[in-house]
Amino acid sequence: MRLQSKLTLFSAVSKIVVVLLLIAVLPPLINRVALVNTDKRLNEKKDSVLEIISNQGIENFIAEGSEGAYGSYNLLKEEFISIEQIPEPIVVDTVENSLRKVENEIVEYRVLSLTFEVDGNYYLLEIGRSIDTIQESINTMQQYALYFLAAVILITVFIDLAFNKILLQPLIVIVRRLKKIGHPSTFTPKTINTTTSDFLYLNNAINDMMGQVQDAFQKEKEFIGNVSHELLTPISILQNRMENLLTDPEMPEHLLVKLVDNQKTLHRLKNIIQALLLISRIENEQYLKNEEVSITALANEVAEEIADRAEAKGIKLNLNLEDDWTLPQANYSLLFTMLFNVVSNAIKYNKPGGSITISGTPKGKGYELCVTDTGVGIPQEHLPHIFNRFKRLQGPDNESHGLGLPIVQTVARFHKVKLTVDSTVDVGTTFCFRFGKV
């Protein structure tokens, strides 16, 4: 999973956890706030009533003939106020829930009760607010709190997404550049526009590392090219001298046998050097890609060229090519060598009476060409190393696989052809070349 996706997922999960906690905490919190607010309102009304009594007298509420009591509630019975004269001085100063009967209806109120004295007489003041009204306020507060919370969550999610995208943009640029590297020679050091020191360090470290890799690859290619080129001359001289010795009529027979063996060794050495030189020249892009190559024509020519060798080993060569596809800007001779080496190996490591199938199928905007054999197969642990020119893998006949497959991979990379290998021991091997956008 990408870092940006992980950060976004973590942000979303953390916000969900916060929301769940707030949903659990909000109801009792809002309920407490509503009660505190109600108690404050009741105390404010108490202060107002006491101020009126202090300024205008108790008669403003309890007139003569009213039996020492005063009561009033609003039309919806949401609030009430009552003042009642009491015979004995009782100290009361509370705020609590209480049931009251109003017009034959029992209603629960939040009631403030207070006793006070005026002109030697004692009175009980009660101011109440309906619990249903308080609950409506609580529900309204909870509803708007949830709306506000949802809006805050959405806004913060979008802010996090935007911030993460901006913050991680340099890392995304670095990753894209790394994905485009098919070969060290294609890498170009670039600066990155960011103020984050970690990303600057990472970019500079990658530039330095790739620079060292490029230098190593360049030195390796130059060494292989120079050594290969220099070795060809003395080997050719030795071959000529041995050929002259072989034509000498006075040469003893036992020496002729040794000379022939030496000739074979020199021939193998010359082939290895020529293969290394070919790889070096391809990697140094000393070959032109100025031809249009028909893939089916290429496959047919390879099959025709190698048919006699397959027939000599009793191997059946099949062609199954659908339609045709042309690769622009290619080098025909290199592509021929690439396909020829694969088919040659399929013959060399096939079973007696086996078969080889060269199949081609258009796929997407490209073409897929596969070579399938019924040979001995390649062990799975060897598959990652079959294209390594410096690792010797022994075949079933105890011969080295040589540099044929490294040449195949080098030519494929040179033409930007995707190469895949699938193999099962004692069943066979399939090499697939994907030309164009498959």
Side-chain angles (χ1 to χ4, degrees), residues 278-311:
L278 175 63
I279 292 173
S280 178
R281 286 174 177 171
I282 295 172
E283 289 180 340
N284 288 323
E285 298 187 356
Q286 295 179 8
Y287 287 88
L288 297 177
K289 291 188 290 185
N290 56 356
E291 300 173 283
E292 292 185 356
V293 178
S294 167
I295 303 303
T296 55
L298 174 69
N300 280 311
E301 186 169 345
V302 170
E304 183 180 349
E305 181 76 18
I306 210 167
D308 293 339
R309 191 186 301 181
E311 186 178 352

Side-chain angles (χ1 to χ4, degrees), residues 16 55 59 65 73 75 92 111 117 122 137 152 154 157 161 174 194 196 215 220 244 313 351 365 372 385 438:
I16 291 173
N55 295 333
E59 295 81 8
Y73 56 87
L75 182 64
V92 177
V111 179
E117 184 264 337
Y122 295 92
S137 300
V152 169
L154 288 175
V157 165
L161 287 174
I174 293 173
T194 180
T196 306
D215 290 341
E220 175 203 325
N244 292 334
K313 290 197 64 173
K351 298 175 182 177
K365 296 181 179 180
T372 304
H385 309 293
V438 180

Side-chain angles (χ1 to χ4, degrees), residues 223-236 265-281 403 407:
F223 175 78
I224 292 174
N226 293 336
V227 170
S228 300
H229 188 271
E230 293 297 327
L231 285 176
L232 283 177
T233 301
I235 288 176
S236 299
T265 302
L266 280 176
H267 181 70
R268 286 197 297 270
L269 181 58
K270 187 174 182 180
N271 287 339
I272 292 173
I273 293 173
Q274 287 177 337
L276 288 172
L277 190 58
L278 175 63
I279 292 173
S280 178
R281 286 174 177 171
L403 293 170
I407 291 175

Side-chain angles (χ1 to χ4, degrees), residues 149-203:
L149 183 62
V152 169
I153 294 297
L154 288 175
I155 292 172
T156 54
V157 165
F158 285 117
I159 291 175
D160 286 350
L161 287 174
F163 179 73
N164 287 340
K165 187 174 182 180
I166 295 172
L167 179 65
L168 298 178
Q169 186 61 34
L171 182 61
I172 295 172
V173 172
I174 293 173
V175 172
R176 285 176 181 171
R177 286 175 56 201
L178 292 176
K179 286 182 177 179
K180 291 180 180 179
I181 301 175
H183 191 271
S185 61
T186 62
F187 180 82
T188 303
K190 292 182 180 178
T191 58
I192 193 166
N193 185 21
T194 180
T195 57
T196 306
S197 58
D198 294 336
F199 291 151
L200 288 172
Y201 177 81
L202 176 62
N203 185 67

Side-chain angles (χ1 to χ4, degrees), residues 136-427:
E136 288 179 4
S137 300
I138 292 174
N139 293 338
T140 302
M141 291 174 65
Q142 288 180 348
Q143 184 178 4
Y144 280 102
L146 290 176
Y147 288 158
F148 177 76
L149 183 62
V152 169
I153 294 297
L154 288 175
I155 292 172
T156 54
V157 165
F158 285 117
I159 291 175
D160 286 350
L161 287 174
F163 179 73
N164 287 340
K165 187 174 182 180
I166 295 172
L167 179 65
L168 298 178
Q169 186 61 34
L171 182 61
I172 295 172
V173 172
I174 293 173
V175 172
R176 285 176 181 171
R177 286 175 56 201
L178 292 176
K179 286 182 177 179
K180 291 180 180 179
I181 301 175
H183 191 271
S185 61
T186 62
F187 180 82
T188 303
K190 292 182 180 178
T191 58
I192 193 166
N193 185 21
T194 180
T195 57
T196 306
S197 58
D198 294 336
F199 291 151
L200 288 172
Y201 177 81
L202 176 62
N203 185 67
N204 293 334
I206 290 174
N207 288 339
D208 293 341
M209 180 185 67
M210 289 304 300
Q212 295 176 17
V213 172
Q214 284 179 331
D215 290 341
F217 265 73
Q218 185 62 31
K219 290 177 181 178
E220 175 203 325
K221 290 191 293 184
E222 291 176 356
F223 175 78
I224 292 174
N226 293 336
V227 170
S228 300
H229 188 271
E230 293 297 327
L231 285 176
L232 283 177
T233 301
I235 288 176
S236 299
I237 293 173
L238 287 173
Q239 279 186 320
N240 290 333
R241 288 178 179 178
M242 288 183 182
E243 288 173 359
N244 292 334
L245 290 173
L246 287 172
T247 59
D248 187 354
E250 297 180 0
M251 183 66 62
E253 185 175 348
H254 68 281
L255 292 179
L256 288 175
V257 174
K258 292 183 178 181
L259 286 173
V260 170
D261 289 338
N262 289 335
Q263 278 280 70
K264 291 179 180 178
T265 302
L266 280 176
H267 181 70
R268 286 197 297 270
L269 181 58
K270 187 174 182 180
N271 287 339
I272 292 173
I273 293 173
Q274 287 177 337
L276 288 172
L277 190 58
L278 175 63
I279 292 173
S280 178
R281 286 174 177 171
I282 295 172
E283 289 180 340
N284 288 323
E285 298 187 356
Q286 295 179 8
Y287 287 88
L288 297 177
K289 291 188 290 185
N290 56 356
E291 300 173 283
E292 292 185 356
V293 178
S294 167
I295 303 303
T296 55
L298 174 69
N300 280 311
E301 186 169 345
V302 170
E304 183 180 349
E305 181 76 18
I306 210 167
D308 293 339
R309 191 186 301 181
E311 186 178 352
K313 290 197 64 173
I315 296 171
K316 186 177 180 181
L317 185 59
N318 303 310
L319 284 174
N320 183 18
L321 304 172
E322 298 180 16
D323 300 329
D324 190 13
W325 195 82
T326 300
L327 178 64
Q329 297 181 341
N331 187 294
Y332 185 86
S333 63
L334 291 180
L335 290 176
F336 183 91
T337 302
M338 177 185 75
L339 187 57
F340 186 89
N341 283 354
V342 172
V343 179
S344 177
N345 278 347
I347 295 173
K348 183 177 181 180
Y349 299 107
N350 215 318
K351 298 175 182 177
S355 65
I356 299 172
T357 301
I358 303 176
S359 58
T361 308
K363 285 193 175 181
K365 296 181 179 180
Y367 197 84
E368 184 177 65
L369 185 68
C370 294
V371 178
T372 304
D373 64 55
T374 57
V376 296
I378 305 172
Q380 290 297 315
E381 63 270 18
H382 288 172
L383 281 177
H385 309 293
I386 61 175
F387 298 113
N388 190 337
R389 72 191 73 165
F390 301 111
K391 189 175 181 66
R392 294 173 61 88
L393 301 175
Q394 298 299 321
D397 55 357
N398 291 326
E399 292 184 6
S400 170
H401 287 283
L403 293 170
L405 291 181
I407 291 175
V408 169
Q409 186 190 50
T410 303
V411 176
R413 284 179 175 174
F414 183 64
H415 288 88
K416 297 181 180 179
V417 176
K418 186 177 180 181
L419 172 60
T420 58
V421 185
D422 184 27
S423 185
T424 304
V425 175
D426 294 329
V427 175

